[in-house]
Amino acid sequence: MAIANHSINMKLFLTAVIFTLLITPAFAQDTVKQERFSFHFQETTITQFKPAFNAPYTGLNSLSPNAETQTSITSTFFGAARLWKGAEVYFNPELSGGSGLSKTTGIAGFPNGETFRVNSVAPEIYIARLYFKQNFEWGNEKDTIQSDANQLGGTKSKRYFSIAAGKFGMADFFDNNNFSHDPRGQFMNWALMDNGAWDYPANTRGYVMGLYTELGQPTWTLRFALTMVVTQANESTWDAKIAKANTQTVEFEKRYTVNGQKGTVRILGFLNNGKFGNYDQAIAQNPKAPNVDTTQAYGRHKYGFGISADQNLSKDFGIFAKTSYNDGHTQTWFFTEIDRTVTFGGVLKGTSWKRSDDELGLAFIGNGLSAPHRNYLAAGGYGFIIGDGKLNYAPEMIAELYYKINAYQHKLWLTPDYQFIVNPAYNKDRGPVNVFSIRAHVEF
């Protein structure tokens, strides 16, 4: 019966995609004008392999020391419509399936940004985004916006205020980086798609219910979001006690040029409130087998900040750097178990070898934990991503190298990728780990 239901879901999703492809030409418009409807599609498949590695012990949330191959797939249908002046609505049904290595456990900076911590590997369809947005614009300076996924083509004032409400992804609006943000087309590691220590609000598939506002000016943008919180770490049920369980996120973005080359700096701050567990209290209650879930109580908080910068050095080469921090006293609730992180790297286009649409990217990651968090894991505690039963602590160090190939007319991209991981899950008794990947990405 389960197989039959998944087959029906696949047929319904494919029917919706085919219907979209048929009607899209009817709504196609010159993107300089205000596009009324927008339809786009993406599918990303990532297959990853790791050889066996050394591990004298393995816990419930450890990366398996055996050789392993896993594949993930996501398919997203992006629909958008302009309702009236300044009003837009967005709807994204999505299908995802497959699994990350070792059921997406055992590495804090996990190597596949397209996989989730879900119980089933069978493909499932769900609503990724459904939100309404209202823009208020003034001034004569205009930007030309090209039609894209969740972006209606047309013109937009450089001075505006917008407000959005509904279901969306925080990464749609916050913590962007021109070279390190999108696991479908850039680096694949979790700590490179977002600032790792930002425990950004989301359900288990990466989406959230909330309110988002943005004030835009020609050289800077200020953003703020107020969102809901799930009832348990890495789960999907929303906590109805919004006064006690909520998050606030603010970000300031400054755009500039250096020697005619574009650059951006973003400064982010966040405060998460909810029924979180406390690491120190868990150890005090049970020093030999602490369980942070048993200490959950309303009135707990997690706060932190992130800084992200990117800079073009030429038309073909750019560099980036990020750093982030959270206080690390309460349990990780949404994203991954990183309390401090530093990342940096660069991306080079293939113009010099006559492949101008190809990209070569190299990045380095250093992840760390707060003292309460590392003490909890060393005592045998488990989070929802990591936990080896004990811990010989050392920072988690990762390097990632990819080469993205324009395989067919900017619609099909193929990317071989290699990641080298030292001290997986902050444990120098385990590893190092080598992860080899191939990504196929289709978009139109």
Side-chain angles (χ1 to χ4, degrees):
M1 181 64 69
I3 294 175
N5 287 338
H6 291 308
S7 178
I8 292 171
N9 286 341
M10 285 289 290
K11 289 178 181 178
L12 289 173
F13 188 79
L14 291 174
T15 299
V17 171
I18 293 169
F19 175 73
T20 301
L21 295 178
L22 291 174
I23 67 173
T24 297
F27 294 115
Q29 298 181 28
D30 182 352
T31 55
V32 176
K33 299 178 181 178
Q34 298 300 91
E35 186 179 36
R36 290 188 58 201
F37 300 93
S38 174
F39 300 100
H40 293 269
F41 175 80
Q42 79 81 30
E43 182 170 286
T44 304
T45 302
I46 297 177
T47 297
Q48 295 192 317
F49 165 74
K50 65 169 179 61
F53 65 92
N54 179 63
Y57 53 88
T58 297
L60 296 178
N61 281 352
S62 293
L63 189 73
S64 170
N66 301 321
E68 185 181 6
T69 301
Q70 295 290 348
T71 297
S72 67
I73 182 171
T74 62
S75 299
T76 315
F77 177 51
F78 303 95
R82 200 181 303 275
L83 303 179
W84 56 80
K85 185 177 181 180
E88 303 164 359
V89 63
Y90 297 87
F91 175 57
N92 296 175
E94 187 166 72
L95 177 148
S96 70
S99 175
L101 298 169
S102 302
K103 299 181 180 179
T104 320
T105 59
I107 307 173
F110 199 77
N112 184 351
E114 279 290 279
T115 197
F116 312 98
R117 286 282 291 117
V118 296
N119 294 325
S120 174
V121 299
E124 294 187 4
I125 298 174
Y126 49 90
I127 297 175
R129 299 173 183 86
L130 178 57
Y131 63 94
F132 170 84
K133 184 178 181 181
Q134 178 69 56
N135 297 310
F136 303 94
E137 302 181 15
W138 62 93
N140 296 322
E141 294 180 89
K142 302 286 184 179
D143 281 325
T144 299
I145 309 298
Q146 298 300 318
S147 180
D148 204 345
N150 288 338
Q151 182 172 285
L152 288 160
T155 59
K156 181 179 180 180
S157 174
K158 292 185 177 183
R159 292 176 171 83
Y160 65 90
F161 175 77
S162 65
I163 183 167
K167 186 178 184 182
F168 50 82
M170 291 293 282
D172 298 341
F173 306 119
F174 290 92
D175 200 25
N176 193 7
N177 189 289
N178 288 334
F179 306 114
S180 178
H181 186 60
D182 180 11
R184 293 170 179 169
Q186 298 172 325
F187 296 97
M188 300 182 194
N189 195 279
W190 284 16
L192 291 170
M193 69 181 190
D194 289 299
N195 251 314
W198 176 30
D199 195 18
Y200 70 85
N203 62 12
T204 191
R205 295 191 183 277
Y207 302 103
V208 72
M209 301 286 292
L211 180 72
Y212 169 77
T213 62
E214 181 174 297
L215 174 63
Q217 294 292 299
T219 63
W220 59 266
T221 304
L222 181 64
R223 305 179 176 94
F224 174 77
L226 175 66
T227 71
M228 297 182 70
V229 169
V230 290
T231 56
Q232 290 294 325
N234 194 232
E235 293 293 339
S236 293
T237 302
W238 300 107
D239 195 327
K241 298 180 179 179
I242 299 177
K244 297 180 178 180
N246 58 73
T247 77
Q248 295 97 53
T249 308
V250 62
E251 181 182 65
F252 177 75
E253 174 184 298
K254 175 63 177 177
R255 298 174 293 277
Y256 57 88
T257 59
V258 176
N259 295 326
Q261 299 295 332
K262 293 181 179 180
T264 310
V265 173
R266 300 169 185 87
I267 302 173
L268 178 146
F270 69 93
L271 174 64
N272 299 342
N273 310 289
K275 193 179 180 180
F276 309 148
N278 180 277
Y279 292 122
D280 286 339
Q281 187 176 335
I283 296 172
Q285 286 184 355
N286 191 345
K288 294 184 177 180
N291 183 350
V292 71
D293 289 343
T294 64
T295 68
Q296 291 174 359
Y298 285 110
R300 300 273 172 76
H301 315 281
K302 184 184 290 291
Y303 64 86
F305 69 87
I307 303 172
S308 172
D310 54 69
Q311 178 66 57
N312 286 282
L313 299 182
S314 72
K315 64 182 182 65
D316 293 322
F317 181 58
I319 58 174
F320 72 91
K322 302 181 186 181
T323 186
S324 57
Y325 163 93
N326 71 59
D327 64 293
H329 295 294
T330 56
Q331 70 187 118
T332 302
W333 203 250
F334 303 109
F335 183 33
T336 190
E337 297 187 54
I338 298 173
D339 299 324
R340 297 96 171 87
T341 185
V342 174
T343 67
F344 61 92
V347 175
L348 175 67
K349 290 188 177 295
T351 304
S352 61
W353 57 92
K354 299 181 180 179
R355 294 282 304 179
S356 59
D357 295 321
D358 290 2
E359 279 184 6
L360 176 67
L362 176 63
F364 300 92
I365 303 166
N367 298 326
L369 293 177
S370 67
H373 199 164
R374 75 178 73 156
N375 292 339
Y376 171 77
L377 294 172
Y382 290 94
F384 65 82
I385 293 291
I386 62 175
D388 297 324
K390 54 182 177 177
L391 180 66
N392 185 7
Y393 179 79
E396 185 180 78
M397 309 295 289
I398 304 171
E400 180 173 358
L401 174 71
Y402 77 83
Y403 185 83
K404 185 171 73 170
I405 303 164
N406 176 18
Y408 180 71
Q409 297 183 354
H410 299 92
K411 293 181 173 61
L412 171 62
W413 303 84
L414 299 177
T415 307
D417 181 281
Y418 170 67
Q419 296 179 56
F420 181 66
I421 303 166
V422 180
N423 309 323
Y426 311 99
N427 197 337
K428 60 184 176 182
D429 289 341
R430 297 170 55 83
V433 180
N434 297 279
V435 178
F436 302 89
S437 309
I438 184 70
R439 175 178 63 201
H441 174 70
V442 177
E443 62 182 43
F444 50 84

